Amino acid sequence: MSSSVSVANEGGVAIVTIDNPPVNALSFHVREPLMQALAALRDDASVAAIVIACAGRTFVAGADITEFGKPMQHPELRAIVAVLEAIAKPTVAAIQGTALGGGLELALGCHFRVADQGARLGLPEVKLGILPGGGGTVRLPRLVGAAKALKMIVSGTPIGADEAYGAGLVDAVFEGDLTTHVVNFVREMARKGGPFTPVRDRDDVIKETDLAAFDAEVADLARKARGLEAPVACAQAVRNAVTLPFDEALAEERALFVKLVASDQSRAQRHLFFAEREAAKLPGKDVVKRRIARVGVIGAGTMGGGIAMAFANGGFPVTLLETSQEALRRGLATIEKNYTVSVARGSLSEDAKRQRLAQFKGTVDHADLADCDLIVEAAFEDMAVKKEIFGKLDAVARPGAILATNTSYLDIDEIAASTSRPQDVLGLHFFSPANVMKLLEIVRAEKTAPDALATVVDLARRIGKVAVVVGVCHGFVGNRMLAARGSESEALLLEGATPSQIDKAFTDFGWPMGPFQMGDLAGLDIGWRNRKARGLTAVIADTLCEQGRFGQKTGRGFYLYENGSRMPVPDPEVEALIRGKAAEKGIVPRTIGADEIIERTLYPLINEGAKILEEGIAARASDIDVVWVNGYGFPVGKGGPMFWAGLEGAARIVGRLRYWHERTGKNVFKPAPLLERMAETGSWQV
Ligand code: 3HC
């Protein structure tokens, strides 16, 4: 046997062990010996039962994603599952860690599935822009029913062992040494002598499907898919499992898989899978990380409270500092309220809520931060305020504690210089709500020590964040590019587009919402204050703010929000205001198409991304994609702005930027040299 697959015979029970670190993916060098092993064991009279197990921390986590887009090397997973499923002796999958994608499909080829208590099982292919291609859409519904299978396959979210047991996906759950339990389990099954019905022949559960209810669910899913093809194909495949004979449904699944795996959307989503993992890699592997046992957070407002919750959720005790007992009380009350909402929604147990709340210690005294290993400042966005705080931290924090600021724009080198330990200072730019949003921009200041940086990159992963290391500049990666995207919004309004036309162009592109809806949600006053501080103006947005129209929170912004609703309603008053301002400037309105809207907003965004790469503010184009997908809702099916630039054609983007630059003279349209090079070479390499 190859080193990737080995077989041991324990008194008539054959244990096939897959060993392909780190996640036991079903690479070609696993599939080939696995197929041979199964065929041999099928015909081996000394073998009464077969266990499929994995070495290391996890069961098979899926097909080998690096093989997608390359010529398929046989045997395919489907063929292996077919051989496995046809074996008459009892077969069982011993699942620890995660059984995902092709891993779960392999397990579905067995008569039985036995799981460790901590195991998780799922079909996450949809997140890669594909659907399960190894029979998962056809076999899973036969065990858990069409409705549950639809939910699992379209969401891609794995379920725990107990839930899988309740749903009929696994036959037993054990704690402790899984191999011993599984061998005993399968011996018992062999002793009973069957019947050993392959999953493909189990039709009882799907026969009960309420097709009308199923179709209603699918229609809803299709609406929510926002142009993504994979969720729709997943739903179609599960429906086929119910309505078509097994082999026909399997063939349809294959056809959908082949189509999707070759699509730009899947390429984009696979790009993001690897980009997220790449972003967390720092040069210099041997850096010893600092120990983080307690985290301090300064400021218990929306941002500080969210950050404190993010750390508490990750298992860290948190000291929360405010300027007064009253502000502290309010901050802690909001945190408690947020956890209560999670309990009401069923995503948190009462017990877990109590445990989380017990992690918090409130204080108004900086000296109480002395035992913190990381302190995150989330106070008012003002340089003088930040400097004063960092001066105080310098006096009280223990030597080696990491001092972080959550600033969105300010110069972290300047903040670091206000301490005697700039090597310990860095930026942790969380996105609101900080306990929910995945993205964390980690800002490396000029003097930040490599071990401080490595520590927070590791910490980010531990609290479930997707981290991207960026350099110091105004707005870092995300907000700097956002400013470039927004710079033409006003001009488009004045020239004739309405807020809802612009927002629709964005949602049609795949964004969850357009810039004006987003502005209303975030609060228009934030940008207004920011502009005033920098001596900038935005005629429409400023006028709205002067009228007290701050967005959703005041019931009026670019849109109307009636009776506390979050649903934006176009407001004729705003449209009249825009036309009035345009007339003052002598602008005659014209019809503006969606293509122009996208061109004038997203091309400058990409252009700014190119400048960010040139300046070394981001290390890789894929890091920028990770920022935009996880922090700003850039459509996953387009892979992030820099990946999408490749799909759209960098040469086209440069051409159109030049056109707009000539027409307007605006700097945002002046193509960056790196973008021009990308148009020639197809690479973002600086
Ligand atoms: N193929 C190839 N490489 C994979 C992989 C896969 N399926 N899954 C993980 N890896 C790699 C990662 O890229 C990473 O490589 P790196 O160290 O060089 O960066 C390494 O394995 C470790 O992965 P993580 O950093 O993600 O490790 P975690 O412990 O955090 O997570 C995991 C483990 C939950 C298994 C996570 O890696 C994961 O979700 N993997 C993908 C699972 C998946 O999508 N499976 C379906 C694949 S498609 C399929 O099966 C098609 C079939 O239907 C035909």
mmCIF file of all heavy atoms in Angstrom, residues 21-23 25-26 57-58 61-66 68 77 98 100-103 105 123-125 127-128 130-136 254 257 273-274 277-278 281 461, ligand 1:
data_model
loop_
_atom_site.group_PDB
_atom_site.id
_atom_site.type_symbol
_atom_site.label_atom_id
_atom_site.label_comp_id
_atom_site.label_asym_id
_atom_site.label_seq_id
_atom_site.Cartn_x
_atom_site.Cartn_y
_atom_site.Cartn_z
ATOM 1 N N PRO A 21 -1.855 14.437 5.191
ATOM 2 C CA PRO A 21 -1.918 15.705 5.921
ATOM 3 C C PRO A 21 -1.978 16.896 4.968
ATOM 4 O O PRO A 21 -1.500 16.770 3.844
ATOM 5 C CB PRO A 21 -0.597 15.729 6.715
ATOM 6 C CG PRO A 21 0.088 14.435 6.491
ATOM 7 C CD PRO A 21 -0.620 13.695 5.414
ATOM 8 N N PRO A 22 -2.501 18.046 5.379
ATOM 9 C CA PRO A 22 -3.010 18.314 6.726
ATOM 10 C C PRO A 22 -4.478 17.912 6.953
ATOM 11 O O PRO A 22 -4.882 17.730 8.073
ATOM 12 C CB PRO A 22 -2.869 19.836 6.840
ATOM 13 C CG PRO A 22 -3.009 20.337 5.435
ATOM 14 C CD PRO A 22 -2.416 19.275 4.559
ATOM 15 N N VAL A 23 -5.275 17.752 5.868
ATOM 16 C CA VAL A 23 -6.714 17.563 6.110
ATOM 17 C C VAL A 23 -7.255 16.297 5.439
ATOM 18 O O VAL A 23 -8.455 16.125 5.299
ATOM 19 C CB VAL A 23 -7.539 18.811 5.683
ATOM 20 C CG1 VAL A 23 -7.144 20.027 6.495
ATOM 21 C CG2 VAL A 23 -7.412 19.091 4.194
ATOM 22 N N ALA A 25 -7.264 15.386 2.367
ATOM 23 C CA ALA A 25 -8.010 15.633 1.118
ATOM 24 C C ALA A 25 -7.839 14.439 0.180
ATOM 25 O O ALA A 25 -6.837 13.725 0.237
ATOM 26 C CB ALA A 25 -7.506 16.907 0.455
ATOM 27 N N LEU A 26 -8.843 14.250 -0.686
ATOM 28 C CA LEU A 26 -8.832 13.080 -1.577
ATOM 29 C C LEU A 26 -8.037 13.375 -2.850
ATOM 30 O O LEU A 26 -8.582 13.386 -3.964
ATOM 31 C CB LEU A 26 -10.277 12.693 -1.931
ATOM 32 C CG LEU A 26 -11.085 12.072 -0.793
ATOM 33 C CD1 LEU A 26 -12.550 11.943 -1.193
ATOM 34 C CD2 LEU A 26 -10.521 10.703 -0.414
ATOM 35 N N ARG A 57 -5.778 14.736 12.565
ATOM 36 C CA ARG A 57 -6.822 15.421 13.330
ATOM 37 C C ARG A 57 -8.202 15.364 12.715
ATOM 38 O O ARG A 57 -9.171 15.803 13.306
ATOM 39 C CB ARG A 57 -6.410 16.884 13.562
ATOM 40 C CG ARG A 57 -6.219 17.670 12.270
ATOM 41 C CD ARG A 57 -5.656 19.059 12.564
ATOM 42 N NE ARG A 57 -5.197 19.722 11.365
ATOM 43 C CZ ARG A 57 -5.771 20.774 10.808
ATOM 44 N NH1 ARG A 57 -6.849 21.284 11.339
ATOM 45 N NH2 ARG A 57 -5.265 21.333 9.739
ATOM 46 N N THR A 58 -8.290 14.875 11.490
ATOM 47 C CA THR A 58 -9.604 14.963 10.850
ATOM 48 C C THR A 58 -9.873 13.815 9.880
ATOM 49 O O THR A 58 -8.946 13.227 9.320
ATOM 50 C CB THR A 58 -9.754 16.309 10.092
ATOM 51 O OG1 THR A 58 -11.043 16.359 9.471
ATOM 52 C CG2 THR A 58 -8.698 16.492 9.016
ATOM 53 N N ALA A 61 -11.439 15.941 4.564
ATOM 54 C CA ALA A 61 -12.108 17.251 4.517
ATOM 55 C C ALA A 61 -12.546 17.622 3.109
ATOM 56 O O ALA A 61 -12.916 18.765 2.849
ATOM 57 C CB ALA A 61 -11.196 18.329 5.086
ATOM 58 N N GLY A 62 -12.498 16.663 2.177
ATOM 59 C CA GLY A 62 -13.040 16.944 0.853
ATOM 60 C C GLY A 62 -12.118 16.539 -0.271
ATOM 61 O O GLY A 62 -11.032 15.985 -0.044
ATOM 62 N N ALA A 63 -12.571 16.824 -1.482
ATOM 63 C CA ALA A 63 -11.713 16.653 -2.654
ATOM 64 C C ALA A 63 -10.521 17.590 -2.487
ATOM 65 O O ALA A 63 -10.566 18.525 -1.685
ATOM 66 C CB ALA A 63 -12.495 17.015 -3.906
ATOM 67 N N ASP A 64 -9.474 17.344 -3.257
ATOM 68 C CA ASP A 64 -8.309 18.227 -3.208
ATOM 69 C C ASP A 64 -8.602 19.426 -4.113
ATOM 70 O O ASP A 64 -8.609 19.302 -5.339
ATOM 71 C CB ASP A 64 -7.074 17.456 -3.683
ATOM 72 C CG ASP A 64 -5.818 18.294 -3.585
ATOM 73 O OD1 ASP A 64 -5.929 19.534 -3.541
ATOM 74 O OD2 ASP A 64 -4.721 17.703 -3.561
ATOM 75 N N ILE A 65 -8.825 20.566 -3.481
ATOM 76 C CA ILE A 65 -9.273 21.741 -4.247
ATOM 77 C C ILE A 65 -8.199 22.209 -5.236
ATOM 78 O O ILE A 65 -8.513 22.801 -6.266
ATOM 79 C CB ILE A 65 -9.672 22.897 -3.280
ATOM 80 C CG1 ILE A 65 -10.731 22.407 -2.282
ATOM 81 C CG2 ILE A 65 -10.219 24.094 -4.035
ATOM 82 C CD1 ILE A 65 -10.960 23.360 -1.120
ATOM 83 N N THR A 66 -6.935 21.905 -4.934
ATOM 84 C CA THR A 66 -5.865 22.351 -5.849
ATOM 85 C C THR A 66 -5.925 21.597 -7.184
ATOM 86 O O THR A 66 -5.319 22.029 -8.155
ATOM 87 C CB THR A 66 -4.465 22.153 -5.228
ATOM 88 O OG1 THR A 66 -4.267 20.752 -4.998
ATOM 89 C CG2 THR A 66 -4.307 22.916 -3.933
ATOM 90 N N PHE A 68 -8.727 21.104 -8.877
ATOM 91 C CA PHE A 68 -9.804 21.631 -9.722
ATOM 92 C C PHE A 68 -9.201 22.503 -10.830
ATOM 93 O O PHE A 68 -8.246 23.227 -10.609
ATOM 94 C CB PHE A 68 -10.798 22.485 -8.913
ATOM 95 C CG PHE A 68 -11.629 21.672 -7.946
ATOM 96 C CD1 PHE A 68 -12.360 22.301 -6.956
ATOM 97 C CD2 PHE A 68 -11.688 20.294 -8.017
ATOM 98 C CE1 PHE A 68 -13.129 21.583 -6.052
ATOM 99 C CE2 PHE A 68 -12.453 19.562 -7.129
ATOM 100 C CZ PHE A 68 -13.170 20.203 -6.141
ATOM 101 N N LEU A 77 -13.687 10.230 -7.527
ATOM 102 C CA LEU A 77 -14.362 9.900 -6.266
ATOM 103 C C LEU A 77 -15.654 9.109 -6.509
ATOM 104 O O LEU A 77 -15.951 8.144 -5.808
ATOM 105 C CB LEU A 77 -14.668 11.197 -5.499
ATOM 106 C CG LEU A 77 -15.531 11.053 -4.255
ATOM 107 C CD1 LEU A 77 -14.880 10.151 -3.222
ATOM 108 C CD2 LEU A 77 -15.840 12.422 -3.657
ATOM 109 N N THR A 98 -13.488 16.702 10.913
ATOM 110 C CA THR A 98 -14.517 17.136 9.972
ATOM 111 C C THR A 98 -14.645 16.147 8.818
ATOM 112 O O THR A 98 -13.639 15.714 8.270
ATOM 113 C CB THR A 98 -14.179 18.522 9.381
ATOM 114 O OG1 THR A 98 -12.783 18.542 9.045
ATOM 115 C CG2 THR A 98 -14.466 19.649 10.336
ATOM 116 N N LEU A 100 -16.069 16.552 5.396
ATOM 117 C CA LEU A 100 -16.618 17.622 4.561
ATOM 118 C C LEU A 100 -16.565 17.244 3.087
ATOM 119 O O LEU A 100 -15.640 16.548 2.653
ATOM 120 C CB LEU A 100 -15.833 18.920 4.767
ATOM 121 C CG LEU A 100 -15.822 19.503 6.182
ATOM 122 C CD1 LEU A 100 -14.952 20.755 6.236
ATOM 123 C CD2 LEU A 100 -17.239 19.832 6.635
ATOM 124 N N GLY A 101 -17.514 17.756 2.325
ATOM 125 C CA GLY A 101 -17.503 17.591 0.877
ATOM 126 C C GLY A 101 -17.313 16.138 0.483
ATOM 127 O O GLY A 101 -18.022 15.233 0.960
ATOM 128 N N GLY A 102 -16.297 15.923 -0.367
ATOM 129 C CA GLY A 102 -16.008 14.564 -0.816
ATOM 130 C C GLY A 102 -15.776 13.604 0.343
ATOM 131 O O GLY A 102 -15.989 12.397 0.198
ATOM 132 N N GLY A 103 -15.361 14.118 1.486
ATOM 133 C CA GLY A 103 -15.159 13.267 2.664
ATOM 134 C C GLY A 103 -16.479 12.698 3.149
ATOM 135 O O GLY A 103 -16.605 11.498 3.422
ATOM 136 N N GLU A 105 -19.126 12.523 1.316
ATOM 137 C CA GLU A 105 -19.651 11.696 0.217
ATOM 138 C C GLU A 105 -19.052 10.289 0.262
ATOM 139 O O GLU A 105 -19.734 9.299 0.001
ATOM 140 C CB GLU A 105 -19.365 12.372 -1.127
ATOM 141 C CG GLU A 105 -20.187 13.643 -1.293
ATOM 142 C CD GLU A 105 -19.843 14.411 -2.552
ATOM 143 O OE1 GLU A 105 -18.670 14.806 -2.704
ATOM 144 O OE2 GLU A 105 -20.734 14.610 -3.385
ATOM 145 N N LEU A 123 -21.507 19.490 3.695
ATOM 146 C CA LEU A 123 -21.181 19.553 2.273
ATOM 147 C C LEU A 123 -20.988 21.036 1.923
ATOM 148 O O LEU A 123 -21.945 21.706 1.520
ATOM 149 C CB LEU A 123 -22.317 18.922 1.446
ATOM 150 C CG LEU A 123 -22.482 17.402 1.637
ATOM 151 C CD1 LEU A 123 -23.747 16.892 0.930
ATOM 152 C CD2 LEU A 123 -21.265 16.630 1.124
ATOM 153 N N PRO A 124 -19.775 21.559 2.124
ATOM 154 C CA PRO A 124 -19.562 23.008 1.951
ATOM 155 C C PRO A 124 -19.230 23.427 0.521
ATOM 156 O O PRO A 124 -18.812 24.559 0.302
ATOM 157 C CB PRO A 124 -18.355 23.266 2.871
ATOM 158 C CG PRO A 124 -17.582 22.000 2.827
ATOM 159 C CD PRO A 124 -18.575 20.877 2.611
ATOM 160 N N GLU A 125 -19.420 22.526 -0.447
ATOM 161 C CA GLU A 125 -19.003 22.837 -1.825
ATOM 162 C C GLU A 125 -19.558 24.156 -2.339
ATOM 163 O O GLU A 125 -18.911 24.863 -3.110
ATOM 164 C CB GLU A 125 -19.444 21.701 -2.770
ATOM 165 C CG GLU A 125 -18.591 20.445 -2.675
ATOM 166 C CD GLU A 125 -19.074 19.456 -1.622
ATOM 167 O OE1 GLU A 125 -19.835 19.866 -0.709
ATOM 168 O OE2 GLU A 125 -18.693 18.285 -1.700
ATOM 169 N N LYS A 127 -19.743 26.875 -1.091
ATOM 170 C CA LYS A 127 -18.862 28.006 -0.768
ATOM 171 C C LYS A 127 -17.700 28.112 -1.756
ATOM 172 O O LYS A 127 -16.992 29.104 -1.777
ATOM 173 C CB LYS A 127 -18.328 27.861 0.655
ATOM 174 C CG LYS A 127 -19.435 27.954 1.691
ATOM 175 C CD LYS A 127 -18.896 27.878 3.089
ATOM 176 C CE LYS A 127 -20.046 28.002 4.084
ATOM 177 N NZ LYS A 127 -19.670 27.627 5.430
ATOM 178 N N LEU A 128 -17.500 27.065 -2.523
ATOM 179 C CA LEU A 128 -16.472 27.097 -3.564
ATOM 180 C C LEU A 128 -17.113 27.279 -4.939
ATOM 181 O O LEU A 128 -16.486 27.056 -5.971
ATOM 182 C CB LEU A 128 -15.660 25.795 -3.544
ATOM 183 C CG LEU A 128 -14.902 25.501 -2.246
ATOM 184 C CD1 LEU A 128 -14.375 24.077 -2.246
ATOM 185 C CD2 LEU A 128 -13.761 26.489 -2.060
ATOM 186 N N ILE A 130 -19.424 25.497 -6.289
ATOM 187 C CA ILE A 130 -19.781 24.241 -6.963
ATOM 188 C C ILE A 130 -20.873 23.537 -6.159
ATOM 189 O O ILE A 130 -21.401 24.105 -5.196
ATOM 190 C CB ILE A 130 -18.553 23.308 -7.126
ATOM 191 C CG1 ILE A 130 -17.853 23.086 -5.766
ATOM 192 C CG2 ILE A 130 -17.587 23.859 -8.142
ATOM 193 C CD1 ILE A 130 -16.710 22.076 -5.814
ATOM 194 N N LEU A 131 -21.193 22.298 -6.539
ATOM 195 C CA LEU A 131 -22.098 21.497 -5.719
ATOM 196 C C LEU A 131 -21.406 20.174 -5.454
ATOM 197 O O LEU A 131 -20.405 19.854 -6.108
ATOM 198 C CB LEU A 131 -23.468 21.315 -6.390
ATOM 199 C CG LEU A 131 -23.641 20.214 -7.430
ATOM 200 C CD1 LEU A 131 -25.110 20.083 -7.781
ATOM 201 C CD2 LEU A 131 -22.837 20.450 -8.676
ATOM 202 N N PRO A 132 -21.868 19.418 -4.468
ATOM 203 C CA PRO A 132 -21.232 18.133 -4.199
ATOM 204 C C PRO A 132 -21.264 17.300 -5.475
ATOM 205 O O PRO A 132 -22.324 17.117 -6.071
ATOM 206 C CB PRO A 132 -22.105 17.525 -3.102
ATOM 207 C CG PRO A 132 -22.766 18.703 -2.458
ATOM 208 C CD PRO A 132 -22.981 19.686 -3.553
ATOM 209 N N GLY A 133 -20.103 16.822 -5.889
ATOM 210 C CA GLY A 133 -20.029 16.121 -7.177
ATOM 211 C C GLY A 133 -19.769 14.632 -7.031
ATOM 212 O O GLY A 133 -19.543 13.938 -8.012
ATOM 213 N N GLY A 134 -19.798 14.145 -5.807
ATOM 214 C CA GLY A 134 -19.537 12.722 -5.574
ATOM 215 C C GLY A 134 -20.770 12.003 -5.062
ATOM 216 O O GLY A 134 -20.671 11.067 -4.277
ATOM 217 N N GLY A 135 -21.935 12.484 -5.476
ATOM 218 C CA GLY A 135 -23.185 11.807 -5.105
ATOM 219 C C GLY A 135 -23.836 12.362 -3.852
ATOM 220 O O GLY A 135 -24.885 11.861 -3.427
ATOM 221 N N GLY A 136 -23.258 13.413 -3.284
ATOM 222 C CA GLY A 136 -23.778 13.958 -2.022
ATOM 223 C C GLY A 136 -25.203 14.474 -2.126
ATOM 224 O O GLY A 136 -26.008 14.294 -1.214
ATOM 225 N N ARG A 254 -23.703 15.276 -11.806
ATOM 226 C CA ARG A 254 -22.392 15.328 -12.467
ATOM 227 C C ARG A 254 -22.359 16.453 -13.505
ATOM 228 O O ARG A 254 -21.407 17.228 -13.573
ATOM 229 C CB ARG A 254 -22.123 13.972 -13.139
ATOM 230 C CG ARG A 254 -20.762 13.862 -13.765
ATOM 231 C CD ARG A 254 -19.716 13.919 -12.683
ATOM 232 N NE ARG A 254 -18.392 14.141 -13.213
ATOM 233 C CZ ARG A 254 -17.370 14.524 -12.462
ATOM 234 N NH1 ARG A 254 -17.528 14.736 -11.173
ATOM 235 N NH2 ARG A 254 -16.194 14.702 -12.981
ATOM 236 N N PHE A 257 -22.120 19.718 -11.842
ATOM 237 C CA PHE A 257 -20.791 19.880 -11.246
ATOM 238 C C PHE A 257 -19.778 20.319 -12.307
ATOM 239 O O PHE A 257 -19.027 21.277 -12.113
ATOM 240 C CB PHE A 257 -20.347 18.560 -10.586
ATOM 241 C CG PHE A 257 -18.983 18.634 -9.959
ATOM 242 C CD1 PHE A 257 -18.827 19.086 -8.654
ATOM 243 C CD2 PHE A 257 -17.842 18.270 -10.669
ATOM 244 C CE1 PHE A 257 -17.567 19.174 -8.072
ATOM 245 C CE2 PHE A 257 -16.583 18.357 -10.095
ATOM 246 C CZ PHE A 257 -16.445 18.802 -8.797
ATOM 247 N N PHE A 273 -10.880 31.153 -1.204
ATOM 248 C CA PHE A 273 -10.541 30.130 -0.202
ATOM 249 C C PHE A 273 -9.040 30.180 0.076
ATOM 250 O O PHE A 273 -8.605 30.263 1.227
ATOM 251 C CB PHE A 273 -10.950 28.741 -0.722
ATOM 252 C CG PHE A 273 -10.560 27.612 0.200
ATOM 253 C CD1 PHE A 273 -11.388 27.248 1.257
ATOM 254 C CD2 PHE A 273 -9.365 26.919 0.033
ATOM 255 C CE1 PHE A 273 -11.036 26.215 2.112
ATOM 256 C CE2 PHE A 273 -9.005 25.883 0.884
ATOM 257 C CZ PHE A 273 -9.844 25.530 1.925
ATOM 258 N N PHE A 274 -8.243 30.152 -0.974
ATOM 259 C CA PHE A 274 -6.793 30.151 -0.773
ATOM 260 C C PHE A 274 -6.297 31.538 -0.350
ATOM 261 O O PHE A 274 -5.359 31.652 0.438
ATOM 262 C CB PHE A 274 -6.074 29.653 -2.030
ATOM 263 C CG PHE A 274 -6.302 28.173 -2.264
ATOM 264 C CD1 PHE A 274 -7.024 27.721 -3.351
ATOM 265 C CD2 PHE A 274 -5.822 27.234 -1.357
ATOM 266 C CE1 PHE A 274 -7.258 26.351 -3.541
ATOM 267 C CE2 PHE A 274 -6.046 25.863 -1.541
ATOM 268 C CZ PHE A 274 -6.766 25.425 -2.630
ATOM 269 N N ARG A 277 -6.428 32.042 3.382
ATOM 270 C CA ARG A 277 -5.379 31.311 4.091
ATOM 271 C C ARG A 277 -4.014 31.948 3.856
ATOM 272 O O ARG A 277 -3.182 32.027 4.742
ATOM 273 C CB ARG A 277 -5.403 29.839 3.681
ATOM 274 C CG ARG A 277 -6.524 29.131 4.424
ATOM 275 C CD ARG A 277 -7.142 27.985 3.716
ATOM 276 N NE ARG A 277 -8.266 27.486 4.499
ATOM 277 C CZ ARG A 277 -9.508 27.969 4.445
ATOM 278 N NH1 ARG A 277 -9.787 28.973 3.634
ATOM 279 N NH2 ARG A 277 -10.467 27.473 5.204
ATOM 280 N N GLU A 278 -3.793 32.434 2.656
ATOM 281 C CA GLU A 278 -2.531 33.080 2.304
ATOM 282 C C GLU A 278 -2.350 34.367 3.115
ATOM 283 O O GLU A 278 -1.250 34.681 3.570
ATOM 284 C CB GLU A 278 -2.577 33.400 0.798
ATOM 285 C CG GLU A 278 -1.266 33.485 0.087
ATOM 286 C CD GLU A 278 -0.364 32.281 0.270
ATOM 287 O OE1 GLU A 278 -0.862 31.148 0.361
ATOM 288 O OE2 GLU A 278 0.865 32.501 0.343
ATOM 289 N N LYS A 281 -0.531 34.401 6.374
ATOM 290 C CA LYS A 281 0.868 33.942 6.421
ATOM 291 C C LYS A 281 1.815 35.127 6.436
ATOM 292 O O LYS A 281 1.712 36.026 5.619
ATOM 293 C CB LYS A 281 1.166 33.044 5.220
ATOM 294 C CG LYS A 281 0.493 31.699 5.385
ATOM 295 C CD LYS A 281 0.734 30.804 4.204
ATOM 296 C CE LYS A 281 -0.180 29.586 4.333
ATOM 297 N NZ LYS A 281 -0.512 28.987 3.072
ATOM 298 N N ARG A 461 -7.112 34.585 14.263
ATOM 299 C CA ARG A 461 -7.647 33.271 13.865
ATOM 300 C C ARG A 461 -8.367 32.615 15.041
ATOM 301 O O ARG A 461 -9.439 32.033 14.874
ATOM 302 C CB ARG A 461 -6.463 32.416 13.410
ATOM 303 C CG ARG A 461 -6.840 31.141 12.711
ATOM 304 C CD ARG A 461 -5.561 30.431 12.277
ATOM 305 N NE ARG A 461 -5.791 29.025 12.045
ATOM 306 C CZ ARG A 461 -5.965 28.492 10.838
ATOM 307 N NH1 ARG A 461 -5.938 29.259 9.788
ATOM 308 N NH2 ARG A 461 -6.160 27.209 10.691
HETATM 309 N N1 3HC B 1 -8.065 20.663 -0.683
HETATM 310 C C1 3HC B 1 -6.817 21.132 -0.705
HETATM 311 N N2 3HC B 1 -6.257 21.784 0.322
HETATM 312 C C2 3HC B 1 -7.012 21.973 1.414
HETATM 313 C C3 3HC B 1 -8.341 21.512 1.502
HETATM 314 C C4 3HC B 1 -8.866 20.815 0.384
HETATM 315 N N3 3HC B 1 -10.112 20.336 0.390
HETATM 316 N N4 3HC B 1 -8.841 21.846 2.704
HETATM 317 C C5 3HC B 1 -7.857 22.498 3.359
HETATM 318 N N5 3HC B 1 -6.753 22.569 2.583
HETATM 319 C C6 3HC B 1 -5.456 23.149 2.936
HETATM 320 C C7 3HC B 1 -5.537 24.641 3.182
HETATM 321 O O1 3HC B 1 -5.390 25.364 1.990
HETATM 322 C C8 3HC B 1 -4.393 24.861 4.133
HETATM 323 O O2 3HC B 1 -3.212 24.878 3.366
HETATM 324 P P1 3HC B 1 -1.980 25.799 3.820
HETATM 325 O O3 3HC B 1 -1.607 25.350 5.185
HETATM 326 O O4 3HC B 1 -0.959 25.562 2.775
HETATM 327 O O5 3HC B 1 -2.514 27.207 3.812
HETATM 328 C C9 3HC B 1 -4.379 23.571 4.962
HETATM 329 O O6 3HC B 1 -5.086 22.603 4.185
HETATM 330 C C10 3HC B 1 -5.041 23.696 6.301
HETATM 331 O O7 3HC B 1 -6.339 24.259 6.114
HETATM 332 P P2 3HC B 1 -6.928 25.353 7.105
HETATM 333 O O8 3HC B 1 -5.909 26.402 7.363
HETATM 334 O O9 3HC B 1 -8.230 25.766 6.544
HETATM 335 O O10 3HC B 1 -7.110 24.468 8.426
HETATM 336 P P3 3HC B 1 -8.232 24.540 9.522
HETATM 337 O O11 3HC B 1 -7.852 23.554 10.535
HETATM 338 O O12 3HC B 1 -8.503 25.940 9.926
HETATM 339 O O13 3HC B 1 -9.578 24.058 8.792
HETATM 340 C C11 3HC B 1 -10.918 22.648 7.422
HETATM 341 C C12 3HC B 1 -9.689 22.753 8.335
HETATM 342 C C13 3HC B 1 -12.197 22.906 8.224
HETATM 343 C C14 3HC B 1 -10.942 21.279 6.839
HETATM 344 C C15 3HC B 1 -10.822 23.725 6.301
HETATM 345 O O14 3HC B 1 -9.545 23.631 5.704
HETATM 346 C C16 3HC B 1 -11.832 23.598 5.214
HETATM 347 O O15 3HC B 1 -12.947 24.040 5.370
HETATM 348 N N6 3HC B 1 -11.424 23.010 4.069
HETATM 349 C C17 3HC B 1 -12.237 22.934 2.891
HETATM 350 C C18 3HC B 1 -13.345 21.934 3.004
HETATM 351 C C19 3HC B 1 -14.108 21.874 1.715
HETATM 352 O O16 3HC B 1 -14.481 22.861 1.133
HETATM 353 N N7 3HC B 1 -14.370 20.652 1.238
HETATM 354 C C20 3HC B 1 -15.050 20.442 0.018
HETATM 355 C C21 3HC B 1 -14.060 20.385 -1.080
HETATM 356 S S1 3HC B 1 -14.803 20.298 -2.659
HETATM 357 C C22 3HC B 1 -15.300 18.693 -2.797
HETATM 358 O O17 3HC B 1 -15.138 17.913 -1.913
HETATM 359 C C23 3HC B 1 -15.921 18.345 -4.113
HETATM 360 C C24 3HC B 1 -16.572 17.019 -4.082
HETATM 361 O O18 3HC B 1 -17.935 17.162 -3.878
HETATM 362 C C25 3HC B 1 -16.347 16.278 -5.363
#
